[in-house]
Amino acid sequence: MDLRGLVKLSLCASLCLLTPLTACNANRSGPAGSDTLSTNLKSYQLFSWQQDDESWAYAVLPASREPASIESLTAAQLQDPDQLKSLLFQLNSGTIVFWNSQLPEGLQFGLPPGSLVAEIRQLANRKGLVLEVF
């Protein structure tokens, strides 16, 4: 891991210590898998993975010191990129979103096609979100 990666990792760890530890669905104002999040947190983790049928799935969870479980990711799973964009747009300016590569066994992290990554980056910039991909 290079110096930049270490700095990002230490930033993530520091922010996670500042974020209250609660169950991930307790920070959702809608049902599990809905496209509504509590907006009072300072940082979130965005996960993306390719499914067996080649489609992409996404989950946004409150940042936590604990690794995400398959259960928490599938409970918060979004299938549609427009749902993901809508959910991210609800977050307050200054919120940090870590596009995370730390997935539990059984899921393979990946980034969706470059055009969608670019759209998410543009949305984050317009909204004033801090998007870190690692």
Side-chain angles (χ1 to χ4, degrees), residues 59-134:
V60 179
L61 301 174
S64 172
R65 290 179 280 188
E66 299 298 318
S69 66
I70 289 179
E71 293 79 20
S72 65
L73 291 171
T74 55
Q77 183 172 327
L78 303 168
Q79 297 286 343
D80 183 358
D82 289 333
Q83 284 180 303
L84 173 61
K85 292 176 201 173
S86 174
L87 187 142
L88 292 173
F89 194 77
Q90 295 173 32
L91 299 177
N92 294 326
S93 177
T95 300
I96 301 168
V97 179
F98 298 100
W99 205 330
N100 203 325
S101 62
Q102 303 297 316
L103 286 176
E105 278 191 44
L107 296 176
Q108 181 61 45
F109 171 79
L111 291 175
S115 59
L116 180 60
V117 173
E119 287 178 41
I120 299 298
R121 285 186 187 277
Q122 289 173 350
L123 180 138
N125 286 337
R126 281 195 318 268
K127 185 66 180 167
L129 303 175
V130 178
L131 180 64
E132 293 290 338
V133 180
F134 62 99

Side-chain angles (χ1 to χ4, degrees), residues 8 10-22 24 27 37-47 59-65 87-88 91-100 129-132 134:
K8 285 182 182 180
S10 61
L11 174 63
C12 177
S14 299
L15 289 169
C16 289
L17 291 174
L18 299 174
T19 303
L21 290 176
T22 55
C24 62
N27 290 306
L37 279 177
S38 172
T39 58
N40 61 344
L41 297 177
K42 302 241 186 271
S43 59
Y44 289 88
Q45 294 173 297
L46 166 58
F47 299 90
V60 179
L61 301 174
S64 172
R65 290 179 280 188
L87 187 142
L88 292 173
L91 299 177
N92 294 326
S93 177
T95 300
I96 301 168
V97 179
F98 298 100
W99 205 330
N100 203 325
L129 303 175
V130 178
L131 180 64
E132 293 290 338
F134 62 99

